[in-house]
Amino acid sequence: MDAAEEPELAVYHRHLKRLLSSGDRETFRALMAQARHIVNRSYETSLYDHQQTFRLLWHHLDHVGHLSRMSQDARSRLASGRASAEESEELELFLTLYRRITTTDTDDRGPSGSGRRR
């Protein structure tokens, strides 16, 4: 693929520049914004750009352990019954993605459970 054929990755590059200076909570909010763009098909640039941005943010948050902590917090928050309807929807979306992606990751490790797909 030559430069003229490469897809525009404006959203990806914007988040890449901010990634190391942003805190985990801010990065998580950005991750969920990308998930909503993808689910709602409301793209700033293209589906590909938002998918690549989602992958970038997901891998970073997974690497620092934030996604695991967030999944525990999300389950607790939902079980408490104190989450607003909007917050519950966001937490359910996250937990659905977390289950699907971590299940896929576990399946890719094979029967021994060793190694991580990166």
Side-chain angles (χ1 to χ4, degrees), residues 105-117:
D105 187 39
T106 303
D107 292 346
D108 289 346
R109 291 184 211 173
S112 67
S114 60
R116 288 188 60 85
R117 181 177 58 125

Side-chain angles (χ1 to χ4, degrees), residues 76-115:
S76 296
R77 182 79 178 142
L78 287 170
S80 76
R82 293 187 306 254
S84 67
E86 185 177 310
E87 182 185 9
S88 293
E89 185 178 314
E90 182 98 343
L91 294 172
E92 290 289 349
L93 173 59
F94 167 69
L95 289 172
T96 298
L97 292 168
Y98 188 77
R99 279 189 299 270
R100 287 183 182 172
I101 293 170
T102 57
T103 299
T104 301
D105 187 39
T106 303
D107 292 346
D108 289 346
R109 291 184 211 173
S112 67
S114 60

Side-chain angles (χ1 to χ4, degrees), residues 23-89:
D24 292 343
R25 289 183 188 268
E26 183 180 344
T27 303
F28 182 77
R29 283 191 300 273
L31 173 79
M32 294 311 296
Q34 295 309 307
R36 284 189 303 278
H37 278 297
I38 293 166
V39 169
N40 296 329
R41 297 180 179 160
S42 60
Y43 314 125
E44 203 175 311
T45 53
S46 67
L47 171 60
Y48 181 75
D49 190 10
H50 288 283
Q51 287 173 327
Q52 293 304 102
T53 304
F54 180 88
R55 287 181 182 112
L56 169 74
L57 299 173
W58 185 275
H59 286 294
H60 172 75
L61 290 169
D62 186 36
H63 179 74
V64 299
H66 188 74
L67 295 178
S68 176
R69 289 188 302 274
M70 193 61 207
S71 71
Q72 293 169 356
D73 292 349
R75 284 191 286 275
S76 296
R77 182 79 178 142
L78 287 170
S80 76
R82 293 187 306 254
S84 67
E86 185 177 310
E87 182 185 9
S88 293
E89 185 178 314

Side-chain angles (χ1 to χ4, degrees), residues 1-8:
M1 179 181 291
D2 65 23
E5 295 175 358
E6 287 186 28
E8 180 182 359

